[in-house]
């Protein structure tokens, strides 16, 4: 298979014909303003490293919004001290809704300053490589104005001391709602959305109820509305694994066993229930074809064994890897999809 460093979904053919690096119709990115949205909860142990990585970005035009979701450590004070050391930089720290990480991150969309060209989600315990923002913007500026787009990619896995332990999986199948309904291909710590993308997500957030995670929700909304996903195969984030991660690595035997245990406990089914309810509420934002796909998914999940398997086959809903596909079919057979 030919290797491309960038995968993209472009159902309406709105990108230049040769949409691979070296052929993009680029515009200058230095003037693009990025708002970084950092969700904080008891993150004091590693927060300084992440904040320092913002300073080291070779794209200098950024502001920061931090929303603390009820920490009982020194995290909010660290964020405020950081703001005090950056005079002239637009950095603000707010109290969050105290209703979980997904709600905290999505509520940050209401604090994006007017005129921002893009937003970047940030976890509290990672480290960004210096080219993270500039690389994302280099890709996003190829997207026509008004077309929602989301940049994302894999991560470099590290231990708590930032010693490299591996990489998150690389995915080869094109992003789409048929994948997004049952899998998120990238962490929120890698995601950067253009102006049309974060405005779409903010509109969708007004419709939704609880969702499992803000990044999975973003992937579903952008693909569901016919937007563009720019998947960069070159990781730009050091994803720190320290035992207290809200979501850990999805690679390895232990992660596989955890997924199987979650499947047996009905976790995937509960997540699907939440995502379907939220996307149904945001149906006016979906393309007709994707709305139909969503309704079909909701319907065949409730069917008999034969109906579930037939519906899954006909829908084209899929995961990115063979083990994931096996698990998906097992979930459908067990009525846990």
């Amino acid at each position: 298979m030919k290797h491309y460093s960038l995968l993209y979904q472009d159902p309406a053919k709105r990108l230049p014909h040769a949409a691979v690096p070296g052929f993009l119709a680029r515009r200058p990115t230095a003037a693009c303003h990025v708002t970084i949205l950092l969700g904080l909860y008891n993150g004091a142990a590693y927060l300084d490293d992440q904040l320092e990585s913002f300073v080291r970005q070779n794209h200098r035009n950024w502001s920061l919004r931090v929303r603390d979701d009820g920490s009982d450590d020194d995290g909010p004070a660290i964020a405020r001290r950081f703001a005090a050391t950056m005079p002239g930089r637009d950095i603000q720290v707010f109290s969050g809704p105290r209703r979980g990480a997904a709600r905290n991150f999505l509520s940050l969309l209401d604090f994006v300053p007017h005129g921002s060209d893009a937003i970047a989600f940030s976890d509290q315990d990672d480290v960004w490589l210096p080219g993270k923002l500039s690389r994302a913007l280099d890709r996003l500026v190829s997207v026509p104005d008004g077309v929602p787009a989301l940049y994302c990619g894999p991560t470099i896995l590290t231990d708590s001391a930032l010693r490299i332990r591996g990489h998150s999986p690389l995915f080869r199948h094109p992003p789409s709602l048929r994948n997004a309904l049952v899998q998120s291909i990238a962490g929120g710590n890698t995601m950067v959305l253009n102006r049309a993308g974060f405005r779409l997500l903010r509109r969708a957030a007004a419709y939704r109820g609880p969702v499992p995670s803000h990044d999975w929700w973003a992937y579903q909304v952008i693909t569901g509305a016919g937007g563009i996903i720019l998947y960069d195969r070159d990781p730009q984030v050091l994803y720190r694994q320290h035992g207290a991660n809200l979501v850990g690595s999805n690679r390895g035997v232990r992660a596989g066993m955890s997924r199987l245990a979650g499947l047996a406990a009905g976790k995937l089914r509960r997540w699907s229930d939440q995502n379907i309810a939220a996307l149904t509420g945001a149906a006016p934002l979906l393309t007709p074809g994707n709305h139909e796909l969503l309704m079909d998914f909701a319907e065949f999940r409730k069917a008999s064994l034969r109906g579930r398997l037939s519906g899954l086959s006909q829908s084209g809903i899929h995961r990115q890897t063979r083990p994931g596909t096996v698990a998906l079919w097992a979930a459908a057979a067990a009525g846990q999809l």
Side-chain angles (χ1 to χ4, degrees):
M1 177 180 293
K2 187 173 182 180
H3 176 83
Y4 292 99
S5 63
L6 190 69
L7 283 180
Y8 63 95
Q9 179 218 14
D10 185 20
K13 307 299 182 187
R14 289 173 290 200
L15 282 179
H17 177 68
V20 295
F23 295 90
L24 294 175
R26 300 182 186 275
R27 298 192 299 271
T29 62
C32 294
H33 180 265
V34 182
T35 301
I36 302 170
L37 304 179
L38 191 155
L40 182 63
Y41 179 73
N42 288 342
Y46 306 110
L47 182 58
D48 278 322
D49 289 344
Q50 177 67 309
L51 296 175
E52 179 65 22
S53 75
F54 299 160
V55 178
R56 295 181 181 275
Q57 290 298 297
N58 54 35
H59 181 80
R60 306 293 187 184
N61 190 1
W62 55 266
S63 59
L64 174 63
R65 298 292 183 267
V66 179
R67 200 158 202 207
D68 175 60
D69 210 34
S71 297
D72 54 16
D73 67 2
D74 200 33
I78 291 172
R80 292 188 177 95
R81 286 198 295 270
F82 175 73
T85 66
M86 303 284 289
R89 177 77 66 177
D90 182 12
I91 300 174
Q92 299 182 34
V93 183
F94 306 94
S95 295
R98 302 193 180 200
R99 299 179 66 180
R103 179 64 62 89
N104 193 34
F105 271 107
L106 291 175
S107 68
L108 273 165
L109 293 167
D110 294 330
F111 295 89
V112 177
H114 179 74
S116 285
D117 299 293
I119 63 105
F121 288 123
S122 170
D123 290 351
Q124 63 193 12
D125 44 10
D126 302 320
V127 171
W128 288 1
L129 299 186
K132 201 261 192 190
L133 290 179
S134 59
R135 190 174 178 92
L137 291 171
D138 281 346
R139 278 125 181 96
L140 288 170
V141 296
S142 70
V143 178
D145 289 342
V147 177
L150 183 156
Y151 166 94
C152 61
T155 57
I156 301 168
L157 305 178
T158 78
D159 64 13
S160 60
L162 296 179
R163 292 183 291 255
I164 295 175
R165 294 296 186 239
H167 294 75
S168 62
L170 285 174
F171 298 126
R172 296 188 176 276
H173 296 297
S176 68
L177 185 62
R178 283 181 166 80
N179 177 228
L181 286 172
V182 292
Q183 181 181 24
S184 183
I185 62 170
N189 55 356
T190 74
M191 289 183 174
V192 183
L193 291 90
N194 68 355
R195 183 180 299 174
F198 74 73
R199 286 180 174 175
L200 172 68
L201 195 60
R202 186 164 54 196
R203 289 178 62 198
Y207 290 99
R208 59 120 185 95
V211 292
S213 63
H214 68 288
D215 44 8
W216 192 2
W217 170 245
Y219 180 33
Q220 291 176 334
V221 169
I222 299 298
T223 55
I228 293 169
I229 304 294
L230 297 160
Y231 183 82
D232 189 345
R233 293 189 180 278
D234 294 325
Q236 299 298 311
V237 175
L238 300 180
Y239 183 14
R240 194 193 309 254
Q241 303 291 293
H242 49 75
N245 303 79
L246 182 65
V247 178
S249 167
N250 63 352
R251 191 162 202 155
V253 175
R254 181 178 297 180
M257 294 299 292
S258 177
R259 287 194 297 271
L260 289 175
L263 172 61
K267 185 181 292 185
L268 177 59
R269 183 172 182 84
R270 290 194 299 273
W271 287 346
S272 293
D273 287 341
Q274 290 181 339
N275 285 331
I276 289 170
L279 285 170
T280 300
L285 304 178
L286 306 181
T287 67
N290 281 332
H291 181 248
E292 182 178 357
L293 173 66
L294 174 66
M295 295 298 98
D296 288 345
F297 179 54
E299 190 64 28
F300 76 67
R301 291 173 66 242
K302 300 180 291 186
S304 64
L305 171 61
R306 182 176 180 179
R308 293 194 301 272
L309 298 181
S310 175
L312 182 59
S313 176
Q314 293 177 17
S315 70
I317 291 171
H318 62 278
R319 291 176 65 92
Q320 290 278 346
T321 65
R322 288 182 180 178
T325 298
V326 171
L328 177 66
W329 281 87
Q336 295 297 333
L337 183 61

